[in-house]
Amino acid sequence: MTNTEIRPFRIDVPQSDLDDLHRRLDATRWPDELPGVGWTRGVPLGYLRELAHHWRHEYDWRAQEKLLGDLPQHVTEIDGATVHFVHVRSPEQGALPLLLTHGWPGSIVEFLDVIGPLTDPAAHGGDPADAFHVVIPSLPGFGFSGPTRDAGWDTRRITRAWAELMARLGYERYGAQGGDFGALVSPDLGRVDGEHVAGVHVNAATVGFIPFGGVDEDTLTDVEKARWVRQQRYLDDGNAYFQLQATRPQTIAYALTDSPVAQLAWIVEKFKEWTHPVDALPEAAVDRDRMLTNVMLYWLTGTAGSAARIYHETMHASEWPYRTDVPTGVAAFAEDIAIRRFAEETNTITHWSDFDTGGHFAAMEVPDLLVGDVREFFRGLR
């Protein structure tokens, strides 16, 4: 018999876990480094040592725990997995339910700055008619959802779980938004649960929104060509993490679960490479402590390995995107690679915004721009 109970969840990390983290940080065995190579070989030694020192001596988890803990949270069991989620209802009676899905190496922490403006626009200088009830799950295998317990948790299975979650919450009509893996799951909701999905909005979109194989560069606009070049640079020099997590996630899990500095380096490299501007330190785009809180959700829950498995499961999945008629909106930020003409092959694009700022973690980097675009897209779909 399926257990459909929704239970309250409270974040309460034992002090012993924080003491263990500090002990491991103090005992870090640091590697050597070639002089003058900067970020070309990965995260520089000097930068990571300073960031780890801040994590150990200045970062305050208890303050961040309270910030997260002030949000109403729950857990439920779906298809054999624990699903943790934040659920914040709007004070506005006619608010539209909105399901927000993070990706890797993200978490629910990504959305902290957009929850207030989305749920209570009137309190943030907006129109009450733009209000949403927000549901923010932790992907199975990530953060407080805890490790997955069986194989097969690809994005399509996650999509079906999200449809069940929204039904379990009593939402018969809702919108979906997400970036990275969230930009795979959200469009899939339009395919799997289209009769209940009012619209889909994505950022940091890849599969289903970019070309596969060669393109005739002479036909591309300057903006499209820049995104195509960025995609090729990623494939040539930026996707080693992808290949490792898609082929040997268990191997990398040992290092990431045993060493907090390894976990920090593995994630902070992506914040450096995917935030805007790409040639600046990640702190230029994202608050340092907020970035560390995101890392903490992987470290404290021991989910680095199970989160990595989403790459293996999805790359070995048999189901891939097919066309959806659900209205779809795209926010393409400065470091994104989505190209409209290719997105239109499998999506019904009714809204497209190009931005010259912001990056992969838009909800953290440029929350006002993301909120504004989400509001604009859904206005005609309520």
Side-chain angles (χ1 to χ4, degrees):
M1 182 175 177
T2 303
N3 180 6
T4 61
E5 180 187 8
I6 296 175
R7 306 181 304 279
F9 178 85
R10 179 172 173 265
I11 302 172
D12 186 15
V13 173
Q15 184 59 40
S16 58
D17 287 359
L18 302 181
D19 294 341
D20 176 68
L21 168 63
H22 293 162
R23 179 186 63 79
R24 290 170 185 267
L25 287 171
D26 288 339
T28 299
R29 185 182 183 207
W30 295 97
D32 70 338
E33 179 184 49
L34 291 172
V37 298
W39 286 82
T40 61
R41 268 75 165 176
V43 183
L45 178 61
Y47 172 80
L48 198 65
R49 290 192 79 146
E50 193 278 324
L51 184 58
H53 182 275
H54 176 83
W55 191 10
R56 168 64 178 87
H57 296 285
E58 297 162 26
Y59 172 81
D60 184 354
W61 164 254
R62 293 303 185 197
Q64 300 296 315
E65 184 180 61
K66 182 181 185 308
L67 180 68
L68 289 167
D70 286 343
L71 299 171
Q73 297 168 63
H74 309 270
V75 291
T76 190
E77 302 296 318
I78 302 178
D79 194 12
T82 299
V83 174
H84 162 268
F85 62 97
V86 171
H87 185 197
V88 183
R89 288 187 59 84
S90 171
E92 303 297 334
Q93 188 103 20
L96 177 70
L98 181 65
L99 177 62
L100 301 171
T101 305
H102 67 83
W104 185 94
S107 68
I108 61 168
V109 172
E110 286 188 58
F111 298 111
L112 288 177
D113 290 334
V114 302
I115 293 172
L118 288 174
T119 58
D120 193 1
H124 294 81
D127 185 344
D130 288 326
F132 298 92
H133 305 302
V134 298
V135 179
I136 312 174
S138 299
L139 287 167
F142 286 67
F144 296 118
S145 284
T148 45
R149 298 185 287 270
D150 61 340
W153 277 101
D154 60 6
T155 53
R156 182 58 58 82
R157 187 173 174 185
I158 293 168
T159 300
R160 295 190 179 103
W162 277 194
E164 168 61 23
L165 174 62
M166 295 305 276
R168 203 172 285 185
L169 291 172
Y171 290 136
E172 296 185 358
R173 188 171 183 270
Y174 62 94
Q177 200 286 328
D180 190 79
F181 274 104
L184 276 73
V185 171
S186 299
D188 251 6
L189 279 163
R191 302 178 179 99
V192 169
D193 198 30
E195 66 271 29
H196 299 117
V197 177
V200 169
H201 183 280
V202 298
N203 65 286
T206 55
V207 176
F209 296 84
I210 59 175
F212 284 94
V215 301
D216 182 356
E217 292 190 41
D218 292 336
T219 68
L220 301 179
T221 66
D222 289 345
V223 170
E224 291 173 338
K225 189 173 294 185
R227 290 178 185 160
W228 170 247
V229 169
R230 196 176 300 123
Q231 179 183 337
Q232 297 313 297
R233 184 166 62 243
Y234 166 81
L235 292 173
D236 292 340
D237 192 48
N239 78 335
Y241 80 95
F242 186 112
Q243 295 299 324
L244 184 53
Q245 296 191 150
T247 57
R248 300 294 185 271
Q250 188 63 30
T251 300
I252 191 62
Y254 299 109
L256 302 184
T257 305
D258 186 61
S259 168
V261 165
Q263 178 67 94
L264 179 63
W266 195 243
I267 289 179
V268 78
E269 180 187 276
K270 298 310 159 200
F271 273 82
K272 164 66 170 67
E273 294 183 345
W274 296 348
T275 52
H276 179 77
V278 70
D279 56 353
L281 293 178
E283 292 94 328
V286 175
D287 177 78
R288 171 177 278 202
D289 282 357
R290 186 64 57 82
M291 182 169 63
L292 287 172
T293 300
N294 182 72
V295 174
M296 286 289 272
L297 261 62
Y298 287 81
W299 177 259
L300 293 171
T301 59
T303 53
S306 57
R309 289 199 287 265
I310 194 173
Y311 286 85
H312 186 279
E313 302 295 354
T314 299
M315 290 303 294
H316 292 80
S318 59
E319 296 179 275
W320 285 90
Y322 52 87
R323 182 157 188 84
T324 172
D325 294 326
V326 172
T328 301
V330 177
F333 292 94
E335 296 301 329
D336 288 344
I337 59 176
I339 297 176
R340 181 164 186 162
R341 68 180 71 185
F342 300 105
E344 287 177 336
E345 293 175 2
T346 53
N347 302 279
T348 301
I349 304 297
T350 61
H351 172 93
W352 188 285
S353 299
D354 292 314
F355 295 95
D356 59 6
T357 188
H360 185 88
F361 304 96
M364 301 175 82
E365 297 178 61
V366 285
D368 291 349
L369 291 181
L370 181 63
V371 167
D373 205 66
V374 169
R375 288 174 177 170
E376 182 181 348
F377 170 67
F378 281 104
R379 276 181 193 135
L381 301 173
R382 289 177 176 270

